[in-house]
Amino acid sequence: MGTREGRYVPGEDMNFAWGDDLGAAQAEVAARKGRGGVLLYVYDETDQAPHVQNEVLMDPAVRFFGGQNPAVKRKRSEVPLDLKETPAVVVYGKDGKIKKLLSGKAIKARSLAAALRKIAPNRRLPK
């Protein structure tokens, strides 16, 4: 809610129960039966993209499909990915491979929701 009031702080988001251990999240998903994956949000302290926290991560479809799997939030310096820009959102499949990587201004709620829907255990839209 702080971003809506003009108090945007990179990386501070309460739309998901963010974890900080990507390996543990991937192991949890691998142990499950059926579909699954991990949502990874990568940010930098210098990011000036409040639309990601303000609009994209608050989107009802993103929250519904993303909430079915573990969500991890990490600083750019802590992630071994070669990212050209941040913020970035990475969707991993159950096999641990990247299914979708969106970064910077290319992060759109519709694209992220579609990627999360493909890995979600429940693919039906809520009523």
Side-chain angles (χ1 to χ4, degrees):
M1 197 63 184
T3 56
R4 290 219 184 258
E5 297 173 355
R7 294 177 286 157
Y8 169 70
V9 178
E12 284 193 18
D13 179 77
M14 297 188 303
N15 287 301
F16 296 97
W18 297 105
D20 61 357
D21 189 350
L22 180 60
Q26 288 176 325
E28 176 189 331
V29 169
R32 291 183 191 172
K33 290 184 178 182
R35 282 188 223 96
V38 176
L39 168 65
L40 173 65
Y41 175 43
V42 182
Y43 68 96
D44 193 7
E45 289 82 15
T46 61
D47 286 344
Q48 291 301 317
H51 80 281
V52 174
Q53 293 170 211
N54 214 10
E55 299 167 17
V56 177
L57 295 176
M58 287 186 90
D59 182 81
V62 169
R63 291 181 67 175
F64 177 74
F65 294 122
Q68 297 179 38
N69 291 297
V72 177
K73 179 174 63 170
R74 300 300 303 245
K75 292 181 184 174
R76 184 180 192 167
S77 60
E78 301 170 344
V79 176
L81 294 172
D82 184 27
L83 299 171
K84 295 185 182 1
E85 61 184 331
T86 56
V89 180
V90 185
V91 177
Y92 288 93
K94 189 171 183 171
D95 57 2
K97 294 182 182 177
I98 294 175
K99 300 297 181 186
K100 188 78 166 180
L101 188 148
L102 301 165
S103 63
K105 294 179 182 177
I107 301 174
K108 304 287 185 214
R110 186 175 186 158
S111 299
L112 181 56
L116 290 169
R117 187 176 189 179
K118 289 180 182 177
I119 64 164
N122 178 5
R123 292 184 180 183
R124 292 178 140 175
L125 286 170
K127 292 182 179 186

